[in-house]
Amino acid sequence: MLESGSRKSPSSPTAEADGSEAEGVPFGHLQDCVGLRDWLLSEGTRTLAADDLLAGLAERLNALDVPVDRASTAIDTLHSEYAGVGRTWSREEGATVRLFPHGEASDKAYRASPFYTVHETGDWLILDLAETADDAYSIIPELKAAGYRHYLVAPLIFTNGARNGITFATRSEEGFRDDHIAILRFVMPTLAAVMEMRLVNKQLDHVLRIYVGDEPHRAILSGAIRRGHVQRIRSAILFADMRDYTQISAEMTPEEAVDLLNIFFDCLVPAIEREGGEILKYLGDGLLAIFREPGDDLGGAAQGALTAAQAALAALDEANGLGRFANPVAAGIALHHGEAAYGNVGSGARLDFTVIGRDVNLASRLARLNRTLGEPLLMSKPFVDFLWGDPEPLGIHSLDGFPEPMAVFRPAAKPAACLKRA
């Protein structure tokens, strides 16, 4: 059955407490309930992992005589690969996590779930499972099979309108009594506020990492948002772009062009990240990545960058062979060693944390030689100085905008015997 009592519209934030949540709390339990609320506001906002928060909440509810044998949450999130996170705690299994991918399947499952019901009504859903049909919700047969008697679903509406939820199940013969539900109603506004604070912090961290990279996102969160601030990173620098992108994409729709770029980057990025590289910037049909020096300058970063570049080109060849592109796609990759500098540039309140610096420009100019020299992978003299092998020289070449010509190299060809063994 649906139980009203929240006195809120379906879109009202759960954290909007007006004092009525204290009504019905059993005599003698109010102080302990306040203690649970204080625990949420202190430990719950700072130190606990999300799984520990759910387990700790269930443990403390049981200490208040609320017979929780299973608890779960479903929380929307800003993530490039999944739309939400589900967490479940039970006495037998502890905490488990489930990710809900973007797409129609997740949307369909949500519409058939009890969360959809409580979000539409704004009321709590309290079910006596012995009197609930198996087809009422997809979770019902699973709950019955596990021996649960009562099931409670509460909406958690955040202040930004995001619709989330929490459930509790019990095997107690009595189910959830009115005094148990009163305790849960007392705790719910604080729980919603704490979960929203945790989620906002996590989303900020994640979204910044997605769009500006790992180290820059840490710099921004630490306060490096003043215009003119520059951070220098000593590293091997990898610059890659797609050859003939303008021509290839000329007849494509915007959606088709995005698909093309995503497949292209799927060939490059995993290889870079496997070798410890960081994607600093996507630049239209190209990208800029760095491989940080650990401090000893012994060539590890350069070797990692070279390995990543060769693996990326091999992945692109494989994708072409599998017909993942409508027409074959080629890349030009340039490797250099120097400083990648991140700087805050812009005007007023609109800034960009962007990649700048001489060495970054040099890597991009070097990439322009790929077509001229007919080579997919080129390396600068400062880069090969850190390599352990002996690359093949391709002569000294002028680079646009740089007064001094640069000695350019390509990787040494594998001996024929090695190629046969491969």
Side-chain angles (χ1 to χ4, degrees), residues 99-302:
L99 303 178
F100 304 110
H102 294 286
E104 185 177 346
S106 291
D107 293 341
K108 183 178 180 180
Y110 164 68
R111 288 191 295 270
S113 76
F115 288 116
Y116 180 78
T117 298
V118 300
H119 290 158
E120 290 298 298
T121 64
D123 294 325
W124 291 27
L125 180 66
I126 303 174
L127 299 176
D128 183 338
L129 295 177
E131 300 177 0
T132 304
D134 285 357
D135 61 357
Y137 301 103
S138 59
I139 189 67
I140 300 302
E142 177 185 334
L143 294 171
K144 289 182 177 180
Y148 296 109
R149 296 294 306 276
H150 276 209
Y151 183 56
L152 183 155
V153 186
L156 295 174
I157 310 301
F158 289 173
T159 55
N160 64 356
R163 303 194 296 181
N164 307 286
I166 188 167
T167 77
F168 300 97
T170 182
R171 295 189 178 95
S172 169
E173 293 292 331
E174 293 183 303
F176 291 116
R177 302 192 310 259
D178 289 346
D179 56 328
H180 300 151
I181 295 171
I183 291 173
L184 292 173
R185 288 196 182 280
F186 179 82
V187 171
M188 208 56 60
T190 304
L191 176 64
V194 167
M195 293 183 72
E196 182 167 4
M197 283 187 280
R198 293 171 60 95
L199 182 64
V200 167
N201 287 336
K202 186 171 184 178
Q203 286 181 340
L204 177 61
D205 182 271
H206 179 71
V207 170
L208 280 174
R209 182 180 285 112
I210 286 176
Y211 283 100
V212 302
D214 193 47
E215 182 64 26
H217 110 276
R218 283 196 290 263
I220 291 172
L221 291 178
S222 68
I225 59 173
R226 177 177 55 83
R227 188 174 73 157
H229 179 272
V230 174
Q231 180 182 11
R232 298 169 183 256
I233 306 169
R234 187 73 180 171
S235 62
I237 300 170
L238 183 152
F239 189 96
D241 64 0
M242 185 188 301
R243 289 184 178 176
D244 300 321
Y245 170 74
T246 300
Q247 178 181 340
I248 293 172
S249 62
E251 302 299 322
M252 290 183 173
T253 66
E255 292 78 10
E256 291 170 337
V258 167
D259 287 341
L260 168 69
L261 290 172
N262 284 336
I263 297 172
F264 177 69
F265 290 133
D266 280 343
C267 296
L268 272 59
V269 173
I272 293 170
E273 292 183 340
R274 278 197 305 270
E275 296 300 322
E278 302 171 32
I279 308 300
L280 290 188
K281 204 80 169 177
Y282 288 102
L283 305 163
D285 63 334
L287 62 80
L288 176 69
I290 62 167
F291 296 76
R292 295 172 184 273
E293 286 291 357
D296 52 20
D297 283 355
L298 295 180

